[in-house]
Amino acid sequence: MIPDDNHSTNEKACLECGQPLGAGRDDRKFCNDICRTAFNNRRRKDNQKEPEADHRDSPNLRKIYEILLSNRELLMMHSLYKDEPYMLRDPLGKGLNLKYFTSQYEMPEVGTFNFCFDYGYHITSTGRVYIEENVQEIFC
């Protein structure tokens, strides 16, 4: 059988990092939220001189993005000690803002996971927090 060379040349790549997108929706352009955000931030910076771009680069959006990055960094730091779950007061005391996350995923047997980019967390009914590191965000 002759290998299909066209298949590898038609494979889509991430617009930011160039990595193959692999399985998923046909209209995807980025491999993850970090690449999508970096691409759009660079595009906004390049178009900053255009007046219509000002509404997309508002101080409120920038503040929310900073909170999301801070949440991700805090989850990343807590995930280094993944052996046991944390009490909710620990990440809250460090500044975790539960109001802001990039997506949610409901697992019937476990509960709701909130994601800050590629780090997800689950809060149990007893107030414990489980952090999952390097989890690809789930898009519904």
Side-chain angles (χ1 to χ4, degrees), residues 45-107:
K45 184 179 177 184
D46 293 344
N47 294 333
Q48 197 169 26
K49 296 173 187 163
E50 298 177 15
E52 62 271 5
D54 290 339
H55 71 279
R56 292 176 286 166
D57 199 22
S58 72
N60 291 335
L61 290 178
R62 192 175 303 234
K63 181 67 176 167
I64 291 170
Y65 183 68
E66 288 172 6
I67 292 170
L68 288 170
L69 286 178
S70 174
N71 280 352
R72 182 191 179 276
E73 183 177 339
L74 189 135
L75 292 171
M76 181 183 68
M77 295 306 291
H78 274 278
S79 73
L80 295 174
Y81 307 101
K82 190 179 174 183
D83 292 340
E84 59 185 61
Y86 297 95
M87 292 302 296
L88 181 57
R89 68 175 180 260
D90 295 338
L92 286 177
K94 301 271 186 186
L96 181 67
N97 189 330
L98 299 177
K99 184 177 176 183
Y100 296 99
F101 47 87
T102 55
S103 66
Q104 278 187 320
Y105 180 68
E106 183 72 34
M107 291 181 64

Short mmCIF file of all heavy atoms in Angstrom, two decimals, residues 45-107:
data_model
loop_
_atom_site.label_atom_id
_atom_site.label_comp_id
_atom_site.label_asym_id
_atom_site.label_seq_id
_atom_site.Cartn_x
_atom_site.Cartn_y
_atom_site.Cartn_z
N LYS A 45 -1.75 44.11 20.07
CA LYS A 45 -0.61 45.03 20.21
C LYS A 45 -0.24 45.62 18.84
O LYS A 45 0.04 46.81 18.73
CB LYS A 45 0.59 44.31 20.81
CG LYS A 45 1.76 45.19 21.08
CD LYS A 45 2.90 44.40 21.71
CE LYS A 45 4.10 45.29 21.91
NZ LYS A 45 5.24 44.52 22.43
N ASP A 46 -0.23 44.79 17.80
CA ASP A 46 0.09 45.25 16.45
C ASP A 46 -0.96 46.22 15.93
O ASP A 46 -0.65 47.15 15.20
CB ASP A 46 0.23 44.07 15.49
CG ASP A 46 1.44 43.21 15.81
OD1 ASP A 46 2.32 43.69 16.57
OD2 ASP A 46 1.49 42.07 15.33
N ASN A 47 -2.22 46.01 16.31
CA ASN A 47 -3.33 46.85 15.82
C ASN A 47 -3.69 47.96 16.80
O ASN A 47 -4.72 48.60 16.64
CB ASN A 47 -4.57 45.99 15.58
CG ASN A 47 -4.37 45.01 14.45
OD1 ASN A 47 -3.59 45.25 13.55
ND2 ASN A 47 -5.09 43.90 14.51
N GLN A 48 -2.86 48.21 17.79
CA GLN A 48 -3.19 49.17 18.84
C GLN A 48 -3.43 50.57 18.29
O GLN A 48 -4.17 51.35 18.86
CB GLN A 48 -2.09 49.19 19.88
CG GLN A 48 -2.50 49.82 21.17
CD GLN A 48 -1.46 49.58 22.24
OE1 GLN A 48 -0.29 49.39 21.94
NE2 GLN A 48 -1.86 49.59 23.48
N LYS A 49 -2.83 50.90 17.17
CA LYS A 49 -2.99 52.23 16.61
C LYS A 49 -4.35 52.43 15.96
O LYS A 49 -4.76 53.53 15.71
CB LYS A 49 -1.87 52.49 15.60
CG LYS A 49 -0.51 52.50 16.24
CD LYS A 49 0.59 52.58 15.23
CE LYS A 49 1.93 52.42 15.95
NZ LYS A 49 3.00 52.11 15.07
N GLU A 50 -5.06 51.33 15.68
CA GLU A 50 -6.38 51.43 15.08
C GLU A 50 -7.40 51.79 16.14
O GLU A 50 -7.47 51.15 17.19
CB GLU A 50 -6.77 50.11 14.43
CG GLU A 50 -5.85 49.70 13.30
CD GLU A 50 -6.24 48.35 12.73
OE1 GLU A 50 -7.36 47.88 13.00
OE2 GLU A 50 -5.41 47.78 12.02
N PRO A 51 -8.26 52.80 15.92
CA PRO A 51 -9.22 53.23 16.94
C PRO A 51 -10.24 52.15 17.30
O PRO A 51 -10.66 52.06 18.43
CB PRO A 51 -9.92 54.44 16.32
CG PRO A 51 -9.37 54.60 14.97
CD PRO A 51 -8.29 53.62 14.74
N GLU A 52 -10.67 51.30 16.34
CA GLU A 52 -11.68 50.30 16.64
C GLU A 52 -11.14 49.18 17.53
O GLU A 52 -11.89 48.41 18.09
CB GLU A 52 -12.29 49.70 15.37
CG GLU A 52 -11.31 48.97 14.49
CD GLU A 52 -10.62 49.86 13.47
OE1 GLU A 52 -10.82 51.09 13.50
OE2 GLU A 52 -9.87 49.33 12.65
N ALA A 53 -9.84 49.06 17.69
CA ALA A 53 -9.25 48.01 18.53
C ALA A 53 -9.28 48.41 20.01
O ALA A 53 -9.07 47.57 20.87
CB ALA A 53 -7.82 47.73 18.10
N ASP A 54 -9.56 49.68 20.32
CA ASP A 54 -9.51 50.15 21.70
C ASP A 54 -10.53 49.47 22.60
O ASP A 54 -10.25 49.21 23.76
CB ASP A 54 -9.70 51.67 21.75
CG ASP A 54 -8.51 52.41 21.18
OD1 ASP A 54 -7.42 51.81 21.12
OD2 ASP A 54 -8.67 53.57 20.79
N HIS A 55 -11.73 49.17 22.10
CA HIS A 55 -12.75 48.58 22.96
C HIS A 55 -12.39 47.16 23.38
O HIS A 55 -12.82 46.69 24.41
CB HIS A 55 -14.12 48.60 22.26
CG HIS A 55 -14.22 47.63 21.13
ND1 HIS A 55 -13.72 47.90 19.88
CD2 HIS A 55 -14.76 46.39 21.06
CE1 HIS A 55 -13.94 46.87 19.09
NE2 HIS A 55 -14.57 45.94 19.77
N ARG A 56 -11.56 46.46 22.61
CA ARG A 56 -11.16 45.10 22.96
C ARG A 56 -10.02 45.08 23.96
O ARG A 56 -9.77 44.07 24.59
CB ARG A 56 -10.74 44.33 21.71
CG ARG A 56 -11.90 44.06 20.77
CD ARG A 56 -11.41 43.40 19.54
NE ARG A 56 -10.72 44.42 18.75
CZ ARG A 56 -9.94 44.18 17.73
NH1 ARG A 56 -9.72 42.96 17.36
NH2 ARG A 56 -9.37 45.15 17.07
N ASP A 57 -9.31 46.16 24.10
CA ASP A 57 -8.15 46.22 24.99
C ASP A 57 -8.46 47.11 26.20
O ASP A 57 -7.64 47.92 26.60
CB ASP A 57 -6.95 46.76 24.21
CG ASP A 57 -5.64 46.41 24.90
OD1 ASP A 57 -5.62 45.46 25.69
OD2 ASP A 57 -4.65 47.10 24.64
N SER A 58 -9.66 46.93 26.75
CA SER A 58 -10.08 47.80 27.84
C SER A 58 -9.37 47.42 29.14
O SER A 58 -8.91 46.29 29.31
CB SER A 58 -11.59 47.70 28.04
OG SER A 58 -11.92 46.45 28.60
N PRO A 59 -9.28 48.36 30.08
CA PRO A 59 -8.64 48.07 31.37
C PRO A 59 -9.35 46.95 32.13
O PRO A 59 -8.71 46.18 32.83
CB PRO A 59 -8.74 49.39 32.13
CG PRO A 59 -8.90 50.43 31.09
CD PRO A 59 -9.62 49.77 29.94
N ASN A 60 -10.68 46.83 31.97
CA ASN A 60 -11.42 45.77 32.66
C ASN A 60 -11.00 44.39 32.16
O ASN A 60 -10.81 43.47 32.94
CB ASN A 60 -12.92 45.95 32.48
CG ASN A 60 -13.43 47.16 33.22
OD1 ASN A 60 -12.83 47.61 34.19
ND2 ASN A 60 -14.53 47.71 32.75
N LEU A 61 -10.89 44.24 30.84
CA LEU A 61 -10.46 42.96 30.28
C LEU A 61 -9.03 42.62 30.70
O LEU A 61 -8.71 41.47 31.00
CB LEU A 61 -10.57 42.97 28.76
CG LEU A 61 -11.98 42.97 28.19
CD1 LEU A 61 -11.94 43.04 26.67
CD2 LEU A 61 -12.75 41.75 28.64
N ARG A 62 -8.19 43.61 30.72
CA ARG A 62 -6.80 43.40 31.14
C ARG A 62 -6.74 42.95 32.60
O ARG A 62 -5.99 42.06 32.96
CB ARG A 62 -6.01 44.69 30.95
CG ARG A 62 -4.52 44.51 31.08
CD ARG A 62 -3.82 45.79 30.76
NE ARG A 62 -4.20 46.20 29.41
CZ ARG A 62 -3.34 46.49 28.46
NH1 ARG A 62 -2.06 46.46 28.72
NH2 ARG A 62 -3.74 46.85 27.27
N LYS A 63 -7.58 43.55 33.46
CA LYS A 63 -7.61 43.18 34.88
C LYS A 63 -8.09 41.74 35.05
O LYS A 63 -7.52 40.98 35.84
CB LYS A 63 -8.53 44.15 35.64
CG LYS A 63 -8.61 43.88 37.11
CD LYS A 63 -7.30 44.13 37.79
CE LYS A 63 -7.44 43.94 39.28
NZ LYS A 63 -6.16 43.88 39.95
N ILE A 64 -9.11 41.34 34.31
CA ILE A 64 -9.62 39.97 34.39
C ILE A 64 -8.54 38.99 33.94
O ILE A 64 -8.34 37.94 34.56
CB ILE A 64 -10.91 39.81 33.57
CG1 ILE A 64 -12.04 40.59 34.23
CG2 ILE A 64 -11.30 38.34 33.40
CD1 ILE A 64 -13.30 40.72 33.40
N TYR A 65 -7.86 39.32 32.86
CA TYR A 65 -6.79 38.45 32.37
C TYR A 65 -5.68 38.31 33.42
O TYR A 65 -5.16 37.22 33.64
CB TYR A 65 -6.24 39.00 31.05
CG TYR A 65 -5.19 38.12 30.44
CD1 TYR A 65 -5.51 36.87 29.93
CD2 TYR A 65 -3.87 38.53 30.37
CE1 TYR A 65 -4.54 36.05 29.38
CE2 TYR A 65 -2.90 37.73 29.81
CZ TYR A 65 -3.24 36.49 29.32
OH TYR A 65 -2.28 35.68 28.78
N GLU A 66 -5.35 39.40 34.11
CA GLU A 66 -4.33 39.34 35.16
C GLU A 66 -4.79 38.45 36.31
O GLU A 66 -3.99 37.70 36.88
CB GLU A 66 -4.02 40.75 35.67
CG GLU A 66 -3.24 41.58 34.68
CD GLU A 66 -3.09 43.03 35.10
OE1 GLU A 66 -3.50 43.39 36.23
OE2 GLU A 66 -2.57 43.82 34.29
N ILE A 67 -6.08 38.51 36.66
CA ILE A 67 -6.62 37.65 37.72
C ILE A 67 -6.54 36.19 37.30
O ILE A 67 -6.15 35.32 38.08
CB ILE A 67 -8.08 38.05 38.06
CG1 ILE A 67 -8.11 39.43 38.72
CG2 ILE A 67 -8.73 37.00 38.96
CD1 ILE A 67 -9.50 40.01 38.88
N LEU A 68 -6.90 35.90 36.03
CA LEU A 68 -6.82 34.53 35.52
C LEU A 68 -5.40 34.00 35.56
O LEU A 68 -5.16 32.85 35.95
CB LEU A 68 -7.39 34.46 34.10
CG LEU A 68 -8.89 34.60 33.97
CD1 LEU A 68 -9.28 34.75 32.51
CD2 LEU A 68 -9.60 33.42 34.60
N LEU A 69 -4.45 34.83 35.14
CA LEU A 69 -3.05 34.40 35.19
C LEU A 69 -2.58 34.18 36.62
O LEU A 69 -1.83 33.24 36.90
CB LEU A 69 -2.16 35.43 34.50
CG LEU A 69 -2.23 35.47 32.98
CD1 LEU A 69 -1.33 36.57 32.44
CD2 LEU A 69 -1.86 34.13 32.38
N SER A 70 -3.02 35.04 37.53
CA SER A 70 -2.65 34.88 38.94
C SER A 70 -3.24 33.58 39.49
O SER A 70 -2.56 32.84 40.22
CB SER A 70 -3.16 36.08 39.74
OG SER A 70 -2.95 35.90 41.11
N ASN A 71 -4.50 33.29 39.16
CA ASN A 71 -5.12 32.03 39.58
C ASN A 71 -4.34 30.84 39.04
O ASN A 71 -4.09 29.87 39.76
CB ASN A 71 -6.57 31.95 39.10
CG ASN A 71 -7.53 32.72 39.97
OD1 ASN A 71 -7.19 33.22 41.03
ND2 ASN A 71 -8.76 32.83 39.51
N ARG A 72 -3.96 30.89 37.77
CA ARG A 72 -3.22 29.79 37.16
C ARG A 72 -1.88 29.59 37.85
O ARG A 72 -1.47 28.47 38.15
CB ARG A 72 -2.99 30.04 35.67
CG ARG A 72 -2.26 28.89 35.01
CD ARG A 72 -1.80 29.26 33.61
NE ARG A 72 -1.08 28.16 33.02
CZ ARG A 72 0.20 27.89 33.21
NH1 ARG A 72 0.93 28.67 34.00
NH2 ARG A 72 0.79 26.86 32.65
N GLU A 73 -1.18 30.68 38.12
CA GLU A 73 0.12 30.59 38.78
C GLU A 73 -0.03 29.99 40.18
O GLU A 73 0.76 29.14 40.59
CB GLU A 73 0.77 31.96 38.86
CG GLU A 73 2.15 31.94 39.48
CD GLU A 73 2.81 33.31 39.48
OE1 GLU A 73 2.41 34.18 38.69
OE2 GLU A 73 3.72 33.50 40.31
N LEU A 74 -1.06 30.40 40.91
CA LEU A 74 -1.28 29.88 42.25
C LEU A 74 -1.58 28.38 42.18
O LEU A 74 -1.04 27.59 42.96
CB LEU A 74 -2.44 30.62 42.90
CG LEU A 74 -2.63 30.31 44.36
CD1 LEU A 74 -2.86 31.59 45.11
CD2 LEU A 74 -3.77 29.36 44.55
N LEU A 75 -2.43 27.96 41.24
CA LEU A 75 -2.74 26.54 41.09
C LEU A 75 -1.49 25.75 40.70
O LEU A 75 -1.28 24.63 41.18
CB LEU A 75 -3.84 26.35 40.05
CG LEU A 75 -5.22 26.87 40.45
CD1 LEU A 75 -6.16 26.83 39.26
CD2 LEU A 75 -5.78 26.07 41.62
N MET A 76 -0.68 26.33 39.85
CA MET A 76 0.55 25.67 39.43
C MET A 76 1.47 25.46 40.64
O MET A 76 2.04 24.39 40.82
CB MET A 76 1.26 26.48 38.35
CG MET A 76 2.54 25.85 37.85
SD MET A 76 3.39 26.87 36.65
CE MET A 76 3.92 28.23 37.67
N MET A 77 1.62 26.49 41.46
CA MET A 77 2.49 26.39 42.63
C MET A 77 1.94 25.35 43.62
O MET A 77 2.70 24.56 44.19
CB MET A 77 2.64 27.75 43.31
CG MET A 77 3.35 28.78 42.45
SD MET A 77 4.96 28.22 41.85
CE MET A 77 5.89 28.19 43.36
N HIS A 78 0.63 25.33 43.83
CA HIS A 78 0.03 24.36 44.74
C HIS A 78 0.12 22.94 44.19
O HIS A 78 0.18 21.97 44.95
CB HIS A 78 -1.43 24.71 45.05
CG HIS A 78 -1.58 25.67 46.18
ND1 HIS A 78 -1.54 25.28 47.49
CD2 HIS A 78 -1.75 27.01 46.19
CE1 HIS A 78 -1.69 26.34 48.26
NE2 HIS A 78 -1.81 27.40 47.51
N SER A 79 0.13 22.79 42.87
CA SER A 79 0.17 21.45 42.28
C SER A 79 1.54 20.78 42.50
O SER A 79 1.65 19.57 42.35
CB SER A 79 -0.16 21.51 40.80
OG SER A 79 0.91 22.06 40.06
N LEU A 80 2.54 21.55 42.84
CA LEU A 80 3.85 20.96 43.12
C LEU A 80 3.79 20.02 44.33
O LEU A 80 4.59 19.10 44.46
CB LEU A 80 4.89 22.06 43.37
CG LEU A 80 5.20 22.95 42.18
CD1 LEU A 80 6.14 24.08 42.61
CD2 LEU A 80 5.80 22.16 41.04
N TYR A 81 2.83 20.24 45.21
CA TYR A 81 2.65 19.42 46.41
C TYR A 81 1.34 18.65 46.28
O TYR A 81 0.47 18.74 47.13
CB TYR A 81 2.64 20.30 47.66
CG TYR A 81 3.84 21.18 47.75
CD1 TYR A 81 3.77 22.53 47.38
CD2 TYR A 81 5.06 20.67 48.16
CE1 TYR A 81 4.90 23.34 47.44
CE2 TYR A 81 6.19 21.47 48.21
CZ TYR A 81 6.09 22.80 47.86
OH TYR A 81 7.20 23.59 47.91
N LYS A 82 1.21 17.87 45.22
CA LYS A 82 -0.05 17.23 44.85
C LYS A 82 -0.38 15.99 45.67
O LYS A 82 -1.42 15.39 45.48
CB LYS A 82 0.01 16.87 43.36
CG LYS A 82 -1.28 16.42 42.79
CD LYS A 82 -1.12 16.12 41.34
CE LYS A 82 -2.40 15.53 40.80
NZ LYS A 82 -2.29 15.16 39.44
N ASP A 83 0.45 15.58 46.61
CA ASP A 83 0.23 14.34 47.33
C ASP A 83 -1.11 14.30 48.05
O ASP A 83 -1.71 13.25 48.16
CB ASP A 83 1.36 14.11 48.34
CG ASP A 83 2.68 13.83 47.64
OD1 ASP A 83 2.65 13.47 46.46
OD2 ASP A 83 3.72 14.00 48.28
N GLU A 84 -1.57 15.41 48.57
CA GLU A 84 -2.83 15.40 49.29
C GLU A 84 -3.61 16.67 48.94
O GLU A 84 -3.05 17.68 48.54
CB GLU A 84 -2.59 15.32 50.80
CG GLU A 84 -1.76 16.45 51.37
CD GLU A 84 -1.46 16.25 52.83
OE1 GLU A 84 -0.82 15.25 53.17
OE2 GLU A 84 -1.90 17.09 53.63
N PRO A 85 -4.94 16.60 49.10
CA PRO A 85 -5.75 17.79 48.80
C PRO A 85 -5.54 18.89 49.85
O PRO A 85 -5.11 18.61 50.97
CB PRO A 85 -7.18 17.27 48.83
CG PRO A 85 -7.13 16.04 49.66
CD PRO A 85 -5.76 15.47 49.49
N TYR A 86 -5.83 20.10 49.46
CA TYR A 86 -5.69 21.24 50.35
C TYR A 86 -7.04 21.62 50.93
O TYR A 86 -8.07 21.38 50.32
CB TYR A 86 -5.18 22.47 49.57
CG TYR A 86 -3.82 22.27 49.00
CD1 TYR A 86 -3.66 21.85 47.68
CD2 TYR A 86 -2.70 22.52 49.76
CE1 TYR A 86 -2.40 21.67 47.16
CE2 TYR A 86 -1.43 22.34 49.24
CZ TYR A 86 -1.30 21.92 47.93
OH TYR A 86 -0.06 21.74 47.41
N MET A 87 -7.01 22.25 52.06
CA MET A 87 -8.22 22.88 52.57
C MET A 87 -8.43 24.15 51.74
O MET A 87 -7.46 24.81 51.34
CB MET A 87 -8.09 23.22 54.06
CG MET A 87 -8.02 22.00 54.96
SD MET A 87 -9.46 20.91 54.78
CE MET A 87 -10.79 21.95 55.35
N LEU A 88 -9.65 24.49 51.47
CA LEU A 88 -9.98 25.64 50.62
C LEU A 88 -9.36 26.92 51.14
O LEU A 88 -8.95 27.78 50.36
CB LEU A 88 -11.50 25.77 50.50
CG LEU A 88 -12.02 26.90 49.63
CD1 LEU A 88 -11.48 26.80 48.21
CD2 LEU A 88 -13.53 26.92 49.64
N ARG A 89 -9.22 27.05 52.45
CA ARG A 89 -8.67 28.28 53.02
C ARG A 89 -7.24 28.55 52.58
O ARG A 89 -6.80 29.69 52.52
CB ARG A 89 -8.77 28.25 54.53
CG ARG A 89 -7.87 27.22 55.17
CD ARG A 89 -7.88 27.28 56.69
NE ARG A 89 -6.99 26.27 57.19
CZ ARG A 89 -7.38 25.09 57.65
NH1 ARG A 89 -8.67 24.80 57.68
NH2 ARG A 89 -6.49 24.22 58.08
N ASP A 90 -6.47 27.47 52.25
CA ASP A 90 -5.08 27.65 51.87
C ASP A 90 -4.94 28.41 50.55
O ASP A 90 -4.27 29.45 50.51
CB ASP A 90 -4.35 26.30 51.81
CG ASP A 90 -4.26 25.64 53.18
OD1 ASP A 90 -4.37 26.37 54.20
OD2 ASP A 90 -4.10 24.42 53.22
N PRO A 91 -5.53 27.95 49.44
CA PRO A 91 -5.40 28.74 48.21
C PRO A 91 -6.14 30.07 48.27
O PRO A 91 -5.71 31.06 47.68
CB PRO A 91 -5.98 27.83 47.12
CG PRO A 91 -6.65 26.71 47.79
CD PRO A 91 -6.16 26.65 49.19
N LEU A 92 -7.25 30.13 49.02
CA LEU A 92 -7.94 31.41 49.17
C LEU A 92 -7.06 32.42 49.90
O LEU A 92 -7.03 33.60 49.55
CB LEU A 92 -9.27 31.23 49.92
CG LEU A 92 -10.40 30.58 49.15
CD1 LEU A 92 -11.62 30.41 50.06
CD2 LEU A 92 -10.76 31.37 47.92
N GLY A 93 -6.35 31.95 50.90
CA GLY A 93 -5.44 32.83 51.64
C GLY A 93 -4.29 33.33 50.79
O GLY A 93 -3.74 34.40 51.04
N LYS A 94 -3.92 32.57 49.78
CA LYS A 94 -2.85 32.99 48.87
C LYS A 94 -3.37 33.89 47.75
O LYS A 94 -2.58 34.43 46.99
CB LYS A 94 -2.18 31.77 48.24
CG LYS A 94 -1.58 30.82 49.23
CD LYS A 94 -0.17 31.21 49.54
CE LYS A 94 0.41 30.12 50.42
NZ LYS A 94 1.69 30.43 50.90
N GLY A 95 -4.70 34.03 47.62
CA GLY A 95 -5.24 34.95 46.64
C GLY A 95 -6.05 34.33 45.52
O GLY A 95 -6.39 35.01 44.55
N LEU A 96 -6.39 33.03 45.60
CA LEU A 96 -7.21 32.42 44.56
C LEU A 96 -8.56 33.10 44.52
O LEU A 96 -9.24 33.24 45.53
CB LEU A 96 -7.40 30.92 44.83
CG LEU A 96 -8.23 30.16 43.81
CD1 LEU A 96 -7.50 30.10 42.46
CD2 LEU A 96 -8.53 28.75 44.31
N ASN A 97 -8.95 33.56 43.35
CA ASN A 97 -10.23 34.23 43.15
C ASN A 97 -11.16 33.24 42.47
O ASN A 97 -11.03 32.96 41.29
CB ASN A 97 -10.04 35.49 42.30
CG ASN A 97 -11.28 36.33 42.25
OD1 ASN A 97 -12.39 35.85 42.33
ND2 ASN A 97 -11.08 37.64 42.10
N LEU A 98 -12.13 32.69 43.22
CA LEU A 98 -13.02 31.66 42.70
C LEU A 98 -14.01 32.20 41.67
O LEU A 98 -14.63 31.42 40.96
CB LEU A 98 -13.79 31.01 43.85
CG LEU A 98 -12.94 30.31 44.91
CD1 LEU A 98 -13.82 29.76 46.03
CD2 LEU A 98 -12.11 29.20 44.29
N LYS A 99 -14.13 33.51 41.59
CA LYS A 99 -15.09 34.11 40.65
C LYS A 99 -14.61 34.00 39.20
O LYS A 99 -15.41 33.99 38.28
CB LYS A 99 -15.29 35.58 41.03
CG LYS A 99 -16.32 36.29 40.21
CD LYS A 99 -16.50 37.72 40.70
CE LYS A 99 -17.45 38.48 39.81
NZ LYS A 99 -17.57 39.87 40.23
N TYR A 100 -13.30 33.90 38.98
CA TYR A 100 -12.75 33.93 37.63
C TYR A 100 -12.08 32.61 37.28
O TYR A 100 -11.20 32.13 37.98
CB TYR A 100 -11.73 35.07 37.49
CG TYR A 100 -12.37 36.42 37.67
CD1 TYR A 100 -12.30 37.09 38.88
CD2 TYR A 100 -13.06 37.02 36.62
CE1 TYR A 100 -12.90 38.32 39.05
CE2 TYR A 100 -13.65 38.25 36.77
CZ TYR A 100 -13.58 38.90 37.99
OH TYR A 100 -14.17 40.11 38.14
N PHE A 101 -12.52 32.03 36.17
CA PHE A 101 -11.93 30.81 35.61
C PHE A 101 -12.25 30.81 34.13
O PHE A 101 -13.13 31.54 33.67
CB PHE A 101 -12.44 29.55 36.31
CG PHE A 101 -13.94 29.51 36.49
CD1 PHE A 101 -14.77 29.02 35.49
CD2 PHE A 101 -14.50 29.97 37.66
CE1 PHE A 101 -16.13 28.98 35.65
CE2 PHE A 101 -15.88 29.95 37.84
CZ PHE A 101 -16.69 29.45 36.83
N THR A 102 -11.52 30.02 33.36
CA THR A 102 -11.70 30.04 31.91
C THR A 102 -12.75 29.07 31.42
O THR A 102 -13.34 29.30 30.37
CB THR A 102 -10.37 29.75 31.19
OG1 THR A 102 -9.84 28.52 31.65
CG2 THR A 102 -9.37 30.87 31.43
N SER A 103 -12.99 27.99 32.14
CA SER A 103 -14.06 27.06 31.75
C SER A 103 -14.39 26.15 32.92
O SER A 103 -13.66 26.09 33.92
CB SER A 103 -13.65 26.22 30.54
OG SER A 103 -12.58 25.38 30.86
N GLN A 104 -15.52 25.44 32.78
CA GLN A 104 -15.96 24.48 33.77
C GLN A 104 -16.25 23.16 33.09
O GLN A 104 -16.64 23.14 31.91
CB GLN A 104 -17.25 24.93 34.46
CG GLN A 104 -17.06 25.90 35.57
CD GLN A 104 -18.37 26.14 36.30
OE1 GLN A 104 -19.42 26.24 35.70
NE2 GLN A 104 -18.30 26.24 37.61
N TYR A 105 -16.08 22.08 33.83
CA TYR A 105 -16.42 20.76 33.32
C TYR A 105 -17.08 19.98 34.45
O TYR A 105 -16.53 19.90 35.55
CB TYR A 105 -15.18 20.03 32.81
CG TYR A 105 -15.49 18.66 32.29
CD1 TYR A 105 -16.24 18.49 31.13
CD2 TYR A 105 -15.05 17.53 32.95
CE1 TYR A 105 -16.54 17.24 30.65
CE2 TYR A 105 -15.34 16.27 32.47
CZ TYR A 105 -16.09 16.13 31.31
OH TYR A 105 -16.38 14.89 30.84
N GLU A 106 -18.25 19.43 34.18
CA GLU A 106 -18.99 18.67 35.17
C GLU A 106 -18.75 17.18 34.96
O GLU A 106 -19.04 16.64 33.90
CB GLU A 106 -20.49 18.97 35.04
CG GLU A 106 -21.35 18.28 36.08
CD GLU A 106 -21.19 18.87 37.46
OE1 GLU A 106 -20.97 20.08 37.58
OE2 GLU A 106 -21.29 18.10 38.43
N MET A 107 -18.18 16.54 35.99
CA MET A 107 -18.00 15.09 35.97
C MET A 107 -19.02 14.50 36.93
O MET A 107 -18.95 14.78 38.14
CB MET A 107 -16.58 14.70 36.39
CG MET A 107 -15.53 15.10 35.38
SD MET A 107 -13.87 14.61 35.88
CE MET A 107 -14.03 12.83 35.89
#
